[in-house]
Amino acid sequence: LMRRQLVKITLSAIGSLASVSALCGPMGFKESWMSMGDISPNWQEVFVNYALTARDAAGASALVMRSDDGAKTRQFTEAIYTRLVRRWNMPEAQANIWFIGGVGNITGNDFSGSKTMASPGIQVDYETTRIYVSATSRLYRAQGLNHDFASARAGFSFFEVDYDQTQPWFILEVRRMRGLTDKTEVTPMLRLIHNRYFVELGVSNASQARMNFMYIFD
């Protein structure tokens, strides 16, 4: 009986850790691949990376940005490096500081040719199995272009689940980008998370549908 209880406790702990990793990190566990997507009418990004170590990952991203009025568009492809700068493991919580930086080419419909763009950034997050908060800032800079980006997220899970069950969350995100919009986008979303993946669905204050996803695989 004690052995069964120990196995159950261990599986629950592993499940909680997997859920935590899926919630906050822009990279997976060592030697895993992670894919992510963020899809809406004005922002379409697909991202993939490989965790070289428990703290370092390398990958690539393709991003399409559009102004609120649809007049300006940008296409940005970049190579990205992700680094876990610091982690605090607490009895029932985890906090992280991440560096996310990239460099690549950007094109647009209001200038000719392409430009080299750099995109250094930082993400800070804190979470338990029931609460999640994060803040992200990235500088998208090229000659004559400034599309700096900032976002903040907060959310909570509706109830606890076992390792093999899907957990629903409510997530509220506020984000803004320079140069393409003069508005702050606010999006409430329902997140469904299960071990190595999550899916988010919502509608922003601009009445635009949005879908996000993440999947970690070996």
Side-chain angles (χ1 to χ4, degrees):
L1 180 61
M2 290 181 62
R3 189 173 184 179
R4 289 180 180 177
Q5 289 177 335
L6 180 60
V7 170
K8 184 176 181 180
I9 292 171
T10 302
L11 288 175
S12 297
I14 292 172
S16 297
L17 180 60
S19 295
V20 164
S21 298
L23 268 173
C24 69
M27 60 175 284
F29 51 85
K30 183 180 178 180
E31 297 181 349
S32 70
W33 290 88
M34 170 185 275
S35 62
M36 299 184 74
D38 187 343
I39 311 298
S40 66
N42 291 341
W43 182 282
Q44 299 158 31
E45 182 176 21
V46 177
F47 168 89
V48 63
N49 68 12
Y50 177 74
L52 303 167
T53 71
R55 289 180 171 265
D56 304 273
S61 170
L63 172 62
V64 177
M65 301 170 278
R66 187 181 71 173
S67 62
D68 290 334
D69 60 7
K72 294 181 181 180
T73 59
R74 303 276 189 264
Q75 296 84 36
F76 180 42
T77 56
E78 62 177 332
I80 297 180
Y81 169 69
T82 301
R83 169 73 178 176
L84 175 58
V85 178
R86 185 72 184 272
R87 168 167 288 168
W88 293 268
N89 287 313
M90 293 156 273
E92 297 182 357
Q94 186 182 94
N96 304 281
I97 299 176
W98 306 87
F99 168 80
I100 308 167
V103 63
N105 290 326
I106 187 168
T107 59
N109 64 349
D110 58 338
F111 61 89
S112 60
S114 64
K115 300 181 180 183
T116 299
M117 173 168 275
S119 61
I122 189 169
Q123 176 179 311
V124 179
D125 55 62
Y126 169 84
E127 62 189 290
T128 70
T129 56
R130 299 298 304 273
I131 297 172
Y132 172 65
V133 292
S134 71
T136 303
S137 177
R138 291 189 70 182
L139 308 180
Y140 288 91
R141 301 285 182 93
Q143 184 178 10
L145 297 177
N146 180 339
H147 295 316
D148 291 354
F149 171 89
S151 71
R153 284 182 156 229
F156 61 87
S157 63
F158 292 98
F159 48 79
E160 295 279 3
V161 298
D162 292 332
Y163 172 69
D164 59 348
Q165 294 179 313
T166 300
Q167 187 177 38
W169 284 68
F170 173 80
I171 301 290
L172 181 67
E173 183 183 75
V174 179
R175 67 180 182 179
R176 189 180 180 104
M177 170 172 275
R178 289 183 178 177
L180 291 175
T181 180
D182 58 356
K183 300 176 182 178
T184 299
E185 182 183 78
V186 180
T187 309
M189 290 176 282
L190 173 66
R191 168 183 283 186
L192 300 176
I193 183 170
H194 184 279
N195 196 359
R196 295 191 186 187
Y197 73 84
F198 71 68
V199 177
E200 295 176 338
L201 298 171
V203 178
S204 73
N205 57 337
S207 300
Q208 293 186 345
R210 183 174 172 192
M211 182 188 76
N212 300 331
F213 69 86
M214 184 281 297
Y215 185 72
I216 299 174
F217 50 100
D218 295 333

